[in-house]
Every structure is written in structure tokens, then in C-alpha cells.
Amino acid sequence: MKAVVYRRHGGPEVLSLTERAVPEPGPGEVRVRIVVSAVNPTDWKARAGARAEPGADVPETVPNQDGAGVVDAVGPDVTGFSAGDRVWVVIAGAYGPGSGTAQEYTVLPAAKLVRLPDGAGFDEGAGLGIPALTAHRALTVAEDGPSRLAPGALEGRTVLVSGGAGAVGNAAIQLGRWAGATVIATVSSDEKAALARTAGAHHVFRYPDPELGARIREVAPDGVDVVVEVAAGVNAKLHTEVLRPRGTVAMYGDDRGTGTVALEFGANVWLNARYQFLVLYTVGEDKLKAGTEDVTAALADGALRVGEDRGVPIHRFSLADTAKAHATSEDGVTGKVLIDVTAP
């Protein structure tokens, strides 16, 4: 089978197309024929070796955590899946260096597969994995709940989505709307503002703007309940201006920051502000399971999609052009980078 691999850390040029043996599923495992693979920042950061020595050799690794496809074979003791089932996968590359989705077939534990509901395509299955699960977690960490998302779960709540045109931001807008929240988004350009509105944001504001906090307060006079934050450091002051008492900031990124977040003690202590750091790899299996169930329900309802009509431009590549796909994501393209691996 065809697979993309890298054997050392580095830029997109370390990725190469090669032939690998089709893997066989063992006990509790399922083999999936990947139809669409997706590129997230976590994928090219892992390839680049953010915490490793530049150029360091690594075991032969297949990149990309997200993907969707069709069950091809099941191993012993597997129940709940059979050949032909359409599925999306959960953090596939975390299972082992050879389990990423930039290949025609991958073998994963059955627990890492989620059935793709009717009406949702492989683009949704691949494109909404890590972003939607991150957004789900961000929307469910507040002290006052909810711990799960469903229609009405966020009724009466106001959510501020920082970077509303990004992949996580877009998913947070769609999930927030589905759950009944009033959604405010911030963006850096008029083009991105249009994408955030298309995703469903009720209010969209541009940054940088010294009056941004006041503008948000005009539409949320009691303050926002949850901030879904992609730029934790640079927006730390804004949080104290717009949070309601006991409000929550769910921080999954530090875009344009230094890697260190400085918080003003007095302003935050009087707010009883709650800060939640967020990364899926250590969030816990129970939280991932809850996220996959709720995201799948939103998919089944048609409330969560990718594509221009939901504010997510799609950039498509072939498997042979995976290096170009990584470079496009790394360059900060707006939208979703998808790789067509096999025929639907």
C-alpha cells in the first residue's frame, strides 16, 4: 500500500511517499481504509520535532492524526464494527508511529473509531476530529457546566470565540450555536469576519482594537460565560474586561504569544476567573468519549459541517502531495487542509 512517512524531524521535505505492507488487525483492532486524511497544526509540529533536536532520527512515522474511511477488516474480539462501516478516527497517530492517516490503510483499536452518521461525508469525518473535540472540551469545562453538549445545553450562555475563522474557532461557533449559546467571535480581517458569520456567529468583531472589550460588553453587558481562546497570552487583559464573575477561559493556544501567560492577579481574583489549559492528548478517555458522542450527534443533526457554506474553505491535496499539504497548513492558510487518500 502507499503511505507517506518521515524518518527524521524537519520541514515538509522530510516526508516521502513509499510502499508499506498492508497491516493486519490483531485482537481488539480494526483495519480502516482511509478515504480522507486531514492536516492539523499538531501534525506538522510533531513532524518538525518541536521538542526534539533538529534533524534527529525517529522511527519510521506516518503523519496525521485525523482521518475518515471505511472499515476493511476486524480483528478477534471486536464487536460493534464490521467491514463496510463508514468511520472517523480519534487521534490515530497517538497509537503508534505507523498508525497515522497519511496512508491507504491503518490499524487502530476499535475504541479509536467512531461511526460516521448518515448525511456526514468523509470530509466532515476527517476535518472535524481534533478541532471539534477541542472545541467541545472548551465549551464543557466551566464550573457551572454543562459537561455535555446537546441542543439547549448552553441556552442563556454567552461564548466568546477567539480566532473565529480558525478550525477550532469554527467548530466552537457551530457547536455553540447547536447547543443554544449566543456566540461572539473575534477575527483579524473582513474576509475572516465573513467566514465567522457564515459559521453562525451572532456577533463578530475585528482585532486589534483598543475598544474591543467595550464592544464585546455592548452585546454582552453581563459578561461572557466562556472564552474559547487560541491566543492566551495576548488576550489575557481582554479576559478581565469581558468575563462575567466565575467565567471560564479555555486556553488551547498561544498564537502571537511568547509561550508564557501573565495574568493580573487582582482583576482575576475578584472575578473568580477560571483558567483551563486544554490539549486532547492528556484530557482523559472519558472526556474524549463524551466529545466523540456529542460531536457525532451534532453531525447527525446537520449542525456541524465543513466547507465554504459553513465558513471552512477546503484545500485539497493528493497523498503524493502530502508535503505540500503540510507546508500549506504550516503557512497558516485559512480553512481545512484535506488529503484524498483512496476513492470513496
Side-chain angles (χ1 to χ4, degrees):
M1 69 170 183
K2 291 181 174 60
V4 171
V5 303
Y6 62 93
R7 300 175 181 87
R8 61 183 175 86
H9 291 305
E13 71 278 357
V14 303
L15 297 171
S16 62
L17 186 66
T18 188
E19 289 284 338
R20 287 166 61 94
V22 176
E24 293 296 329
E29 294 180 332
V30 177
R31 185 169 68 211
V32 179
R33 176 174 61 83
I34 298 296
V35 175
V36 179
S37 175
V39 182
N40 294 292
T42 189
D43 300 315
W44 51 259
K45 289 176 182 178
R47 182 216 69 226
R51 295 179 177 85
E53 182 180 346
D57 292 337
V58 296
E60 186 171 272
T61 300
V62 178
N64 299 0
Q65 300 284 358
D66 282 344
V70 179
V71 171
D72 182 68
V74 298
D77 305 323
V78 171
T79 59
F81 293 102
S82 57
D85 289 343
R86 299 185 322 129
V87 296
W88 59 285
V89 302
V90 180
I91 319 181
Y95 186 50
S99 60
T101 63
Q103 57 184 335
E104 293 181 318
Y105 296 91
T106 189
V107 165
L108 297 167
K112 284 189 170 289
L113 272 58
V114 186
R115 196 178 300 274
L116 195 58
D118 294 340
F122 294 114
D123 284 2
E124 275 79 31
L128 288 169
I130 285 176
L133 292 174
T134 301
H136 178 278
R137 179 61 176 156
L139 293 170
T140 57
V141 296
E143 179 180 5
D144 302 325
S147 61
R148 298 291 297 265
L149 296 184
L154 290 172
E155 194 72 38
R157 310 291 179 90
T158 300
V159 173
L160 172 61
V161 179
S162 171
V168 175
N170 175 278
I173 292 171
Q174 293 193 65
L175 286 171
R177 282 293 301 255
W178 177 62
T182 297
V183 181
I184 304 168
T186 61
V187 295
S188 61
S189 69
D190 289 342
E191 293 77 12
K192 291 181 178 180
L195 294 175
R197 291 190 184 95
T198 300
H202 296 90
H203 309 279
V204 182
F205 297 104
R206 285 276 308 272
Y207 63 81
D209 178 358
E211 299 301 318
L212 183 57
R215 298 187 200 285
I216 292 171
R217 278 286 186 171
E218 287 178 2
V219 298
D222 295 329
V224 302
D225 296 270
V226 176
V227 180
V228 181
E229 187 55 79
V230 69
V234 298
N235 284 333
K237 183 176 183 297
L238 177 67
H239 302 152
T240 63
E241 296 173 356
V242 303
L243 270 183
R244 69 158 176 83
R246 299 180 308 284
T248 298
V249 182
M251 304 185 293
Y252 70 94
D254 188 36
D255 288 5
R256 298 174 286 126
T258 63
T260 298
V261 179
L263 302 177
E264 183 183 345
F265 179 79
N268 280 286
V269 77
W270 280 104
L271 282 170
N272 273 277
R274 183 186 186 98
Y275 284 83
Q276 175 71 58
F277 289 86
L278 196 169
V279 67
L280 292 181
Y281 297 102
T282 55
V283 75
E285 292 300 322
D286 58 332
K287 303 302 188 298
L288 285 176
K289 186 174 186 297
T292 60
E293 291 175 354
D294 295 352
V295 166
T296 298
L299 284 169
D301 279 355
L304 190 58
R305 290 290 185 267
V306 298
E308 289 277 0
D309 61 341
R310 293 298 180 95
V312 189
I314 293 177
H315 310 274
R316 309 198 79 93
F317 296 85
S318 67
L319 185 62
D321 283 334
T322 295
K324 292 181 181 178
H326 270 231
T328 298
S329 177
E330 198 164 352
D331 287 343
V333 68
T334 300
K336 196 67 198 180
V337 176
L338 299 179
I339 297 168
D340 294 312
V341 180
T342 66

